[in-house]
Amino acid sequence: MAFDIEMIKGVYKTMGERIDKARSLTGKPLTLAEKILYSHLDEGMPTQVFKRGKSYVDFKPDRIACQDATAQMALLQFMQAGKPKVAVPTTVHCDHLIQAKQGAKKDLIRANKTSHEVFDFLESVSNKYGIGFWKPGAGIIHQVVLENYAFPGGMMIGTDSHTVNAGGLGMVAIGVGGADAVDVMAGMPWELKFPKLIGVKLTGKLNGWTASKDVILKVAGILTVKGGTGAIVEYFGEGAKNLSCTGKGTICNMGAEIGATTSTFGYDDSMERFLRATDRNDIADEANKIREHLTGDAEVYAAPEKYFDQVIEIDLNTLRPHLNGPFTPDLATPVGELGEKARKNGWPIKVDWGLIGSCTNSSYEDLTRAASIAQQAIDKKLKPKSDFGINPGSEQIRFTAERDGLLSVFENLGATIFTNACGPCIGQWDRSDAQGDKKNTIVHSFNRNFSKRADGNPNTHAFVGSPEMVAAIAISGKLDFDPMNDTLLNEDGQEVKLDEPRGIELPPEGFAVDDNGFLAPDADGSGVEIKVSPESERLELLTPFKPWDGKNITGAKLLIKAFGKCTTDHISMAGPWLRYRGHLDNISNNTLIGAVNAYNKQTNMVKNQLTGEYGAVPDTARAYKKSGIQSIVVGDHNYGEGSSREHAAMQPRHLGVIAVLVKSFARIHETNLKKQGMLGLTFANEADYDKIKENDTFDFIDLVDFAPEKPLAILVKHADGSEDTIIANHTYNESQIQWFREGSALNLIKKENVK
């Protein structure tokens, strides 16, 4: 059994009592998010009303999920924690290290060969510490979690930003860095700033070409990539009840693209149907007993503006299909308006690839809706003008889709069926038609479309849409194609029009699978040996970061002043670099190589103040470190947007960066910096960003007095002898300041376990 029904019964048993206590404390009705949060308070947490966006709160999550690329570093850290077994149910999923190239069978064989060292390490360390292990090819972590572990009213953390996908089954599921996961694995509470709440009221019902994906594409256009930062987005209303469970998952999944802490929906009939279809009748039965606790109070939804910090209303009856992009997931354009915008901006109209799948849109329903369009192309004698790639979400989805003839429809259209893995969505794509420096366009049903994200090419313009819209546009080969109004010329020279997509929520004959790819750990893993070769290029045992010496930091050099968007992809690229995720020194060679230097507008070309020469960012950082000089990174708004990868914090820390000073942070990245013993600071006056010069040196004036809610003063010394004093704000509480003092949160955990 994949899920622990007794654990879930335990959560449900105490839920009502804790919700009643929270209502009494707050003196008001509760949203669903508040119910789940208050139900998962750590036992040692004082009972109080928590201020949204202000109070740091300790929680006890029910479970943890880790994908292979981040699990390596998380488990390398856990090995230092001094614990014989994880304290909370945990799983590892091998989905990131499989490159899409020739098709599922060949690609999986190649991945098992090239990454066997990492897979063997993850399997053995999982077996040793009581962690469930999902083999390569078993599926994409978030789809597997939705099918096996997610449950209404639960709290989960995962070492991937799209952990939020489980909100589609009524969870509060939050993406974190590996150090946060290690805390919980070690039996410690997990800390989070109590989120603000954004309510999205959905009315009406989806129709025609409009899909669940279009809800979040619309919301992204409204809130932008940072509009949800520090908030939980809660969807409600009759429109929400009209969506399928996997459709809800799609919406929650892309909540990561608006910076939201997580997104969630209240328990309803669609969730019950999904639970029963995935052999979880026990959970459905238990959830039905406490149904009123698994959704927001009626008074909240009747007058949402009283209980949410922000309310958005979307009428599904009139919502139009969207394509978002390029280069950012919040550039929302209704289909039909994209042609004019593309021509105005010089975006290529010709579409080279249509990619369907990823953790966002790879459910059975997604495949049926896309397959209905693909079948029409066959029936109406339309030859696709673009290449097709399909990534099923799990082996269960793939097996069922193959049984029901869905995959053969795509194959008859010339599509390549890739492995049940992330593939092109995270840059694991050996693109067959490599474009070089040529501007080109692709459309996909993924969640992110940052520059270089899918294929490493900065000239690839990627647009995000629903699977069925991706299918239609790939068939037409044109970005400006509007299937609702436009016709296509078939092989007989006839003008034909595509009919509306048709989907099936759940397989009529039920889900089926021969081998789902799960390996349960031994009951006693104490005898399991974990081997990491000292000569390995893929894995490296960690050396603890040094504690702070208690003195003011002086003489720190500017490493880079990043210009504009600087996501975790810019700080620590994925794609081919994924192979080094378990080797901190090797992967540090990609540190900030994608960030744009504000002084010359180039990437990976910064000034070394010791030599006066320009060179790669990692090389410059290593030169400072070798000379015993610490360095500083300066950035713009929403710094660290995107993935939860803690490598984006660990790598600069490893290379001697002590502080990151920016206009604003993405939530997960700010926490990751704190966990690794770094200073994550924001300009008190954003205009001070412009005062930072290329040859600057930084002295911290009052770091010795580092305290909660007390800004830090930094003396910035310019090469011409002039100086500026910059005030830097921070959000550190006393516990987080202790992480800084000890050199990292992990150092503190290890120290406390030794006592």
Side-chain angles (χ1 to χ4, degrees):
M1 181 180 290
F3 59 89
D4 184 346
I5 188 62
E6 294 306 317
M7 179 269 286
I8 294 170
K9 285 181 178 179
V11 173
Y12 287 172
K13 184 178 180 180
T14 60
M15 203 166 201
E17 179 183 331
R18 294 184 178 186
I19 288 171
D20 287 341
K21 183 178 288 187
R23 281 202 199 97
S24 176
L25 276 169
T26 60
K28 65 179 183 64
L30 300 178
T31 66
L32 170 64
E34 288 174 313
K35 288 182 178 181
I36 298 176
L37 292 171
Y38 276 103
S39 295
H40 286 83
L41 291 177
D42 176 53
E43 291 89 350
M45 195 74 203
T47 303
Q48 63 188 77
V49 179
F50 299 107
K51 296 179 181 178
R52 297 177 187 174
K54 298 288 185 182
S55 304
Y56 279 96
V57 185
D58 287 342
F59 294 101
K60 280 286 189 180
D62 302 311
R63 67 173 310 110
I64 304 167
C66 307
Q67 44 96 331
D68 50 354
T70 54
Q72 296 170 65
M73 195 57 70
L75 294 177
L76 284 166
Q77 292 178 86
F78 182 75
M79 288 168 63
Q80 296 189 48
K83 295 288 186 178
K85 196 172 185 177
V86 292
V88 173
T90 303
T91 50
V92 167
H93 305 255
C94 295
D95 62 354
H96 274 56
L97 300 179
I98 305 169
Q99 187 181 53
K101 184 177 182 179
Q102 296 169 287
K105 187 175 181 179
K106 292 181 179 179
D107 291 349
L108 186 56
I109 291 172
R110 188 174 62 257
N112 276 316
K113 182 177 180 180
T114 59
S115 294
H116 73 90
E117 183 183 11
V118 173
F119 294 148
D120 290 348
F121 165 74
L122 292 174
E123 183 178 339
S124 64
V125 76
S126 295
N127 198 20
K128 184 174 184 66
Y129 293 112
I131 298 169
F133 181 73
W134 290 82
K135 296 184 294 185
I140 306 173
I141 175 173
H142 312 303
Q143 183 65 33
V144 172
V145 165
L146 198 70
E147 294 174 9
N148 294 275
Y149 300 115
F151 67 95
M155 174 181 275
M156 179 175 75
I157 61 171
T159 61
D160 189 287
S161 57
H162 294 106
T163 299
V164 294
N165 188 83
L169 203 38
M171 292 195 90
V172 162
I174 301 174
V176 300
D180 275 354
V182 170
D183 284 355
V184 180
M185 288 179 195
M188 298 177 65
W190 172 63
E191 184 184 67
L192 176 74
K193 189 183 291 185
F194 202 89
K196 296 180 180 180
L197 301 175
I198 298 174
V200 180
K201 181 179 181 180
L202 301 179
T203 60
K205 189 174 184 178
L206 295 173
N207 61 85
W209 282 89
T210 309
S212 297
K213 185 65 163 275
D214 296 304
V215 175
I216 185 58
L217 295 179
K218 176 71 173 180
V219 170
I222 295 170
L223 289 176
T224 77
V225 291
K226 62 180 181 179
T229 301
I232 291 180
V233 181
E234 184 170 325
Y235 293 84
F236 63 93
E238 285 304 309
K241 295 177 182 178
N242 290 329
L243 301 172
S244 68
C245 179
T246 52
K248 292 178 173 73
T250 291
I251 293 169
C252 292
N253 183 297
M254 265 196 76
E257 271 52 73
I258 56 173
T261 302
T262 192
S263 304
T264 194
F265 285 79
Y267 179 62
D268 60 16
D269 292 346
S270 71
M271 294 186 191
E272 180 179 355
R273 290 194 298 270
F274 187 75
L275 286 170
R276 297 194 186 282
T278 50
D279 295 325
R280 290 178 285 175
N281 286 312
D282 290 353
I283 298 179
D285 292 341
E286 294 299 321
N288 285 341
K289 294 176 184 177
I290 62 162
R291 205 174 181 105
E292 73 276 14
H293 298 323
L294 300 177
T295 189
D297 289 335
E299 300 95 322
V300 170
Y301 296 155
E305 63 282 350
K306 293 182 180 179
Y307 305 102
F308 291 99
D309 297 288
Q310 181 179 356
V311 178
I312 296 168
E313 185 167 343
I314 296 175
D315 180 4
L316 301 184
N317 291 325
T318 58
L319 180 64
R320 294 171 59 187
H322 279 65
L323 279 176
N324 285 23
F327 306 129
T328 185
D330 61 347
L331 184 55
T333 307
V335 171
E337 298 178 16
L338 195 54
E340 181 181 352
K341 184 181 284 189
R343 280 182 278 272
K344 182 179 178 181
N345 289 280
W347 304 334
I349 296 294
K350 179 180 178 292
V351 174
D352 293 309
W353 272 88
L355 298 159
I356 294 170
S358 91
C359 62
T360 325
N361 276 112
S362 55
S363 68
Y364 186 85
E365 182 182 34
D366 289 326
L367 292 182
T368 61
R369 287 179 68 86
S372 76
I373 302 303
Q375 186 62 55
Q376 285 186 57
I378 295 169
D379 295 341
K380 298 184 180 187
K381 298 183 179 181
L382 290 168
K383 186 176 181 180
K385 300 297 193 297
S386 309
D387 290 325
F388 258 117
I390 312 292
N391 282 86
S394 69
E395 175 57 16
Q396 179 167 265
I397 293 292
R398 188 211 64 79
F399 189 96
T400 305
E402 183 177 57
R403 179 201 67 189
D404 294 349
L406 298 178
L407 297 187
S408 63
V409 173
F410 293 114
E411 289 172 326
N412 290 339
L413 210 59
T416 301
I417 309 299
F418 294 126
T419 316
N420 315 315
C422 303
C425 181
I426 57 160
Q428 282 286 54
W429 185 24
D430 188 351
R431 187 171 171 181
S432 59
D433 64 331
Q435 298 291 311
D437 294 333
K438 179 184 175 185
K439 289 171 65 174
N440 69 100
T441 289
I442 64 174
V443 292
H444 59 59
S445 67
F446 308 158
N447 38 48
R448 291 193 177 136
N449 58 346
F450 302 144
S451 175
K452 304 182 183 180
R453 173 77 178 184
D455 60 4
N457 184 354
N459 297 299
T460 295
H461 296 57
F463 295 83
V464 183
S466 68
E468 54 267 47
M469 188 56 67
V470 168
I473 289 180
I475 289 166
S476 76
K478 300 185 299 180
L479 188 62
D480 59 353
F481 177 63
D482 177 1
M484 295 168 286
N485 297 297
D486 297 345
T487 59
L488 295 170
L489 194 67
N490 72 4
E491 292 177 300
D492 294 336
Q494 299 173 322
E495 293 282 346
V496 297
K497 191 170 183 290
L498 293 173
D499 301 321
E500 295 174 353
R502 296 187 179 277
I504 303 172
E505 180 182 3
L506 297 164
E509 296 181 28
F511 287 106
V513 67
D514 278 345
D515 177 8
N516 65 4
F518 176 71
L519 295 177
D522 291 346
D524 180 6
S526 59
V528 176
E529 183 179 359
I530 302 169
K531 294 182 179 180
V532 177
S533 170
E535 287 77 38
S536 174
E537 293 185 349
R538 301 288 299 269
L539 297 165
E540 178 188 47
L541 296 177
L542 293 174
T543 300
F545 293 129
K546 291 182 180 179
W548 176 47
D549 63 8
K551 301 177 182 178
N552 282 326
I553 295 170
T554 58
K557 298 293 186 183
L558 177 70
L559 177 60
I560 185 172
K561 177 179 174 180
F563 175 78
K565 186 185 283 284
C566 191
T567 72
T568 49
D569 279 323
H570 294 86
I571 305 168
S572 174
M573 289 183 178
W577 288 96
L578 286 173
R579 65 184 181 273
Y580 297 128
R581 283 285 178 87
H583 198 295
L584 181 56
D585 192 57
N586 282 348
I587 198 170
S588 292
N589 289 323
N590 81 359
T591 303
L592 286 156
I593 63 175
V596 176
N597 182 355
Y599 304 109
N600 57 18
K601 301 302 185 292
Q602 296 183 49
T603 58
N604 205 27
M605 188 61 64
V606 296
K607 189 172 185 178
N608 181 333
Q609 294 187 43
L610 302 179
T611 65
E613 298 176 353
Y614 285 83
V617 181
D619 294 343
T620 305
R622 289 184 189 276
Y624 291 150
K625 182 179 179 181
K626 185 177 180 180
S627 298
I629 298 171
Q630 294 177 307
S631 55
I632 285 178
V633 171
V634 173
D636 211 316
H637 276 298
N638 209 30
Y639 183 90
E641 169 194 344
S643 169
S644 69
R645 67 190 68 151
E646 65 186 333
H647 297 76
M650 294 186 79
Q651 292 170 217
R653 176 77 163 105
H654 176 67
L655 296 182
V657 175
I658 191 59
V660 178
L661 176 62
V662 300
K663 294 180 182 178
S664 65
F665 283 108
R667 175 190 64 84
I668 300 176
H669 188 66
E670 181 181 20
T671 300
N672 286 345
L673 292 172
K674 293 177 179 180
K675 287 281 183 177
Q676 300 306 329
M678 297 175 72
L679 295 171
L681 309 173
T682 56
F683 290 101
N685 180 2
E686 290 183 5
D688 286 346
Y689 171 90
D690 297 323
K691 294 180 179 179
I692 307 300
K693 307 302 179 186
E694 193 171 26
N695 295 301
D696 283 350
T697 300
F698 301 81
D699 290 350
F700 286 78
I701 298 171
D702 53 1
L703 187 59
V704 291
D705 300 319
F706 195 14
E709 300 183 9
K710 181 180 182 295
L712 292 172
I714 305 172
L715 182 66
V716 183
K717 298 179 178 179
H718 307 301
D720 62 3
S722 63
E723 299 177 345
D724 281 301
T725 299
I726 287 177
I727 303 302
N729 293 331
H730 66 84
T731 60
Y732 287 72
N733 58 28
E734 191 54 52
S735 296
Q736 295 166 346
I737 291 174
Q738 192 63 24
W739 299 342
F740 173 74
R741 292 189 183 115
E742 294 293 337
S744 72
L746 182 60
N747 286 354
L748 185 60
I749 293 174
K750 191 173 183 179
K751 185 176 181 180
E752 292 176 346
N753 283 336
V754 170
K755 289 180 181 178

